[in-house]
Amino acid sequence: EAGVAQSPRYKIIEKRQSVAFWCNPISGHATLYWYQQILGQGPKLLIQFQNNGVVDDSQLPKDRFSAERLKGVDSTLKIQPAKLEDSAVYLCASSRTGALRYTFGSGTRLTVV
Amino acid sequence: EDKVVQSPLSLVVHEGDTVTLNCSYEVTNFRSLLWYKQEKKAPTFLFMLTSSGIEKKSGRLSSILDKKELFSILNITATQTGDSAVYLCAVHETYKYIFGTGTRLKVLA
């Protein structure tokens, strides 16, 4: 089966600019996750979708981050405006409903200068 | 607060050495513990552990879970330079993963 697709692979932006990341999960995976991994740290969950509904967005900085999964398939994560501390790898993962094992995409490395 | 703690944070060994990576956890609703290898960006799955005392093995890698003492270990025998990576421990709590900070392993030729 095809894996979790993410784009772009890399992005460099200036602070206060906006940026968007895209994720297409494995076909049939109803659950989609966005994780933020700052250098030297483990991934931190930003938001979890079940189909097109939000299950958990408690750690999403909602003043600047937004995410959507309108048709319950692919998803976009947006940052507006970006701050220096947003520099990180943004990982998307997906799973079947209730599954214990996720599959991760290759991630987007964001550098804010 | 739920947490996952990994040790050591980093480790440098020579090819052929055996290493043991540790993961301890405190979570409210444990479902499983997973080990991932992260070489560049995407974590790749190694093991999933749900029951105490049952060792999972894959080649030179093995892992075991102790649900009473709330920890897991990942062993790598006869290390190779290709084992150099960050090893992440994640605990599946209710509906999400909680990750540790990872152990960065470097294997020298």
Side-chain angles (χ1 to χ4, degrees):
Chain A
E1 62 181 4
V4 176
Q6 287 190 248
S7 67
R9 299 290 299 274
Y10 303 91
K11 191 75 176 178
I12 301 175
I13 62 171
E14 295 183 349
K15 59 184 179 183
R16 291 187 289 273
Q17 286 187 322
S18 62
V19 64
F21 312 127
W22 175 82
C23 172
N24 192 28
I26 292 173
S27 178
H29 282 195
T31 312
L32 185 148
Y33 314 82
W34 283 102
Y35 281 84
Q36 179 194 56
Q37 186 175 20
I38 293 171
L39 185 65
Q41 299 181 18
K44 181 184 82 172
L45 180 67
L46 292 176
I47 189 165
Q48 178 183 345
F49 291 96
Q50 178 66 25
N51 295 308
N52 61 351
V54 176
V55 174
D56 183 352
D57 64 357
S58 58
Q59 297 194 84
L60 186 74
K62 298 181 187 62
D63 57 336
R64 298 182 301 105
F65 286 64
S66 64
E68 61 183 16
R69 193 184 183 199
L70 293 176
K71 296 181 180 177
V73 180
D74 56 346
S75 175
T76 55
L77 176 70
K78 297 178 182 177
I79 308 174
Q80 181 181 11
K83 293 185 175 182
L84 296 177
E85 58 261 36
D86 298 331
S87 295
V89 174
Y90 290 85
L91 294 164
C92 179
S94 71
S95 70
R96 296 191 184 279
T97 302
L100 298 179
R101 178 177 161 183
Y102 306 170
T103 301
F104 285 86
S106 56
T108 296
R109 184 180 299 279
L110 173 68
T111 302
V112 183
V113 297
Chain B
E1 181 183 341
D2 296 334
K3 62 180 179 181
V4 177
V5 179
Q6 291 186 245
S7 65
L9 292 181
S10 65
L11 194 55
V12 180
V13 301
H14 289 91
E15 273 192 320
D17 289 349
T18 294
V19 297
T20 298
L21 310 182
N22 304 290
C23 176
S24 63
Y25 62 91
E26 291 180 33
V27 299
T28 308
N29 186 18
F30 176 91
R31 295 182 67 193
S32 66
L33 185 145
L34 301 97
W35 285 96
Y36 283 85
K37 180 181 181 182
Q38 187 174 33
E39 293 180 83
K40 294 197 175 169
K41 288 190 288 184
T44 53
F45 173 81
L46 293 176
F47 298 110
M48 181 170 70
L49 303 153
T50 55
S51 301
S52 274
I54 299 175
E55 185 182 49
K56 294 276 183 97
K57 285 185 70 95
S58 177
R60 298 176 293 102
L61 278 66
S62 64
S63 184
I64 197 161
L65 172 67
D66 186 328
K67 291 171 72 173
K68 181 179 177 184
E69 300 298 328
L70 307 183
F71 77 91
S72 173
I73 59 172
L74 174 68
N75 279 319
I76 308 175
T77 59
T79 52
Q80 302 171 356
T81 55
D83 295 327
S84 296
V86 174
Y87 290 84
L88 293 168
C89 173
V91 173
H92 198 169
E93 189 277 332
T94 308
Y95 58 80
K96 65 184 180 187
Y97 285 2
I98 300 169
F99 281 91
T101 54
T103 293
R104 182 174 297 277
L105 173 66
K106 186 168 180 61
V107 182
L108 303 176

